[in-house]
Amino acid sequence: MLDIAATVDTVSVGQEVASLRERLVVSPASGRFCRLSPEDFHAEGEWVEPDTLLGEVISQGKRVEVRSPWRGWVMGMLALDNQPVKRGEALFWIRGC
């Protein structure tokens, strides 16, 4: 799995300071993205821990698991079910804690 993170550590406006940790989970392989059933994973708004299964990529006839390397809230699924994806392409947006 590629470790790619978009991180904004500190934003300061006047006297207020906010820390944000935005992260992307990327495709581990090229192929077709397959979302999990809604019973297994709801996507937006769901809390995930490291190693939580988020989906799969079908690559050369094999299922490659997409797992979260981080703890946080899933803010969005960035790929559609059965969408062709490339290795390293963003699949999920997670707001870390």
Side-chain angles (χ1 to χ4, degrees):
M1 178 185 309
L2 296 176
D3 289 332
I4 295 179
T7 303
V8 178
D9 287 325
T10 304
V11 177
S12 178
V13 179
Q15 297 289 61
E16 295 186 36
V17 176
S19 293
L20 304 173
R21 295 195 61 86
E22 306 296 330
R23 305 227 181 237
L24 297 174
V25 178
V26 300
S27 178
S30 294
R32 291 203 175 267
F33 173 71
C34 295
R35 68 172 293 155
L36 298 179
S37 70
E39 293 82 28
D40 295 324
F41 182 71
H42 295 102
E44 288 83 6
E46 188 157 336
W47 178 263
V48 294
E49 293 288 332
D51 205 37
T52 299
L53 183 62
L54 302 175
E56 298 175 323
V57 174
I58 307 299
S59 179
Q60 299 177 348
K62 297 179 184 176
R63 293 186 175 270
V64 181
E65 294 179 336
V66 178
R67 293 190 173 270
S68 175
W70 303 288
R71 168 181 294 123
W73 295 102
V74 176
M75 302 305 292
M77 185 167 56
L78 307 175
L80 300 173
D81 192 35
N82 208 31
Q83 175 181 328
V85 295
K86 294 181 181 176
R87 184 175 191 264
E89 186 174 334
L91 300 178
F92 293 91
W93 165 29
I94 296 179
R95 178 162 291 158
C97 58

